[in-house]
Amino acid sequence: MSHARVLTLTCVAMTAFAGNSLLCRLALKNTGIDAASFTSIRILSGALALWLIVRIRGGAPGTSGNWPSAFALFCYAACFSFAYVGLPAATGALLLFGAVQVTMIGYGLWIGEHLSARQITGLVLAFGGLVGLLLPGLSAPPLREATLMLAAGVAWGIYSLRGRGTQDPIRVTAGNFLRCGGFAVGLSAAMLARTSLDSWGIGYAIASGAFASGVGYAIWYTALRGLKATSAASVQLSVPVIAAGGAIVLLGESMTLRLLVASVVILGGIALVIFDKRKSR
């Protein structure tokens, strides 16, 4: 692929990933849809979109994926939705991204990977930034929702680790989304008494599932073929930044000093880990 095409696909994918935070927060803040219904519609819409993409490519999505990965995907999606009942979009995206990266880096340490002094400094900074963001104060995010978003990040990190080295990631993701749909429907059934649907909320959920998730993942996996591993990791630093900008423009959220400082510390710390790994390699 040409550099221009790789750049375009990467920008579209990162915007789609940030769009998940914006669409979820927009739906749960401004419409009457409940978090469980948003989760189910998002997952089922994503499964349908990925199924169509795989079918167009000549594959069979139902033969790929596995139940443990599907459950990790469900935990991510459910915690993500319930967290955005009370979290601002920008804060949620930062917590999610930080938790994903710390989970994956922590797993590397657990299996025996070694970090340089600079990488250790970066990891401490990233973890400290997360802690600082959550410390009590006037601008601190709600603890329950923040904890749910951190759990979503851990679940997504586990899902990503389980999918490393997959030969056909789009087909595997489609299979996992199909399996995840069963868990999502079960969640909605369990919370049937609290079900609340709204036409705009349903539309946002479909957009989040079909486009920001399904099509977004397909575009990202296509772009990955033209990106080095370290470039792929570092470019994802843009997702919380895009989400923050979108939240200010579309949702009227304000950038607090605490969030700004935490963003610099968390993203800067993760960048130290990623870039130093590239240098050592």
Side-chain angles (χ1 to χ4, degrees):
M1 288 188 293
S2 66
H3 290 299
R5 186 184 179 195
V6 173
L7 177 61
T8 300
L9 291 174
T10 301
C11 290
V12 172
M14 296 304 100
T15 302
F17 293 161
N20 271 319
S21 291
L22 297 174
L23 287 166
C24 186
R25 178 57 177 161
L26 188 61
L28 295 174
K29 178 184 178 183
N30 295 341
T31 78
I33 194 169
D34 65 287
S37 296
F38 184 94
T39 302
S40 297
I41 296 170
R42 178 191 176 191
I43 291 297
L44 294 175
S45 300
L48 177 60
L50 286 163
W51 181 83
L52 290 172
I53 291 170
V54 172
R55 293 293 294 183
I56 291 171
R57 295 169 68 239
T63 61
S64 290
N66 57 79
W67 288 106
S69 291
F71 183 69
L73 178 63
F74 164 72
C75 290
Y76 148 74
C79 290
F80 181 90
S81 297
F82 281 92
Y84 269 130
V85 170
L87 275 182
T91 302
L94 182 61
L95 288 171
L96 176 73
F97 178 83
V100 170
Q101 296 299 321
V102 169
T103 298
M104 298 183 72
I105 294 169
Y107 174 78
L109 292 173
W110 184 62
I111 64 174
E113 291 184 7
H114 298 289
L115 297 182
S116 66
R118 183 179 298 180
Q119 288 176 304
I120 293 174
T121 301
L123 185 59
V124 171
L125 280 173
F127 186 76
L130 287 172
V131 173
L133 181 62
L134 298 174
L135 286 176
L138 292 177
S139 58
L143 182 59
R144 182 171 69 94
E145 284 80 3
T147 303
L148 283 170
M149 189 59 80
L150 291 175
V154 172
W156 185 253
I158 293 172
Y159 180 79
S160 300
L161 288 167
R162 289 186 55 83
R164 290 195 302 182
T166 301
Q167 295 299 316
D168 191 347
I170 297 178
R171 190 161 67 94
V172 171
T173 302
N176 286 329
F177 261 77
L178 286 172
R179 288 172 171 80
C180 183
F183 293 121
V185 170
L187 174 65
S188 290
M191 303 192 68
L192 187 61
R194 300 184 181 181
T195 298
S196 175
L197 296 175
D198 176 281
S199 58
W200 278 102
I202 292 173
Y204 292 141
I206 292 174
S208 176
F211 298 105
S213 297
V215 176
Y217 294 149
I219 292 174
W220 174 235
Y221 291 136
T222 302
L224 279 177
R225 292 184 296 187
L227 289 172
K228 296 180 180 179
T230 48
S231 299
S234 58
V235 76
Q236 293 179 62
L237 293 170
S238 66
V239 174
V241 179
I242 297 171
I248 292 171
V249 174
L250 300 176
L251 299 175
E253 295 182 4
S254 58
M255 177 62 71
T256 65
L257 179 60
R258 179 194 288 243
L259 179 59
L260 179 62
V261 173
S263 299
V264 172
V265 173
I266 293 170
L267 300 182
I270 293 171
L272 279 177
V273 178
I274 294 172
F275 296 150
D276 196 66
K277 182 177 291 187
R278 178 174 63 181
K279 182 178 179 181
S280 64
R281 286 178 179 176

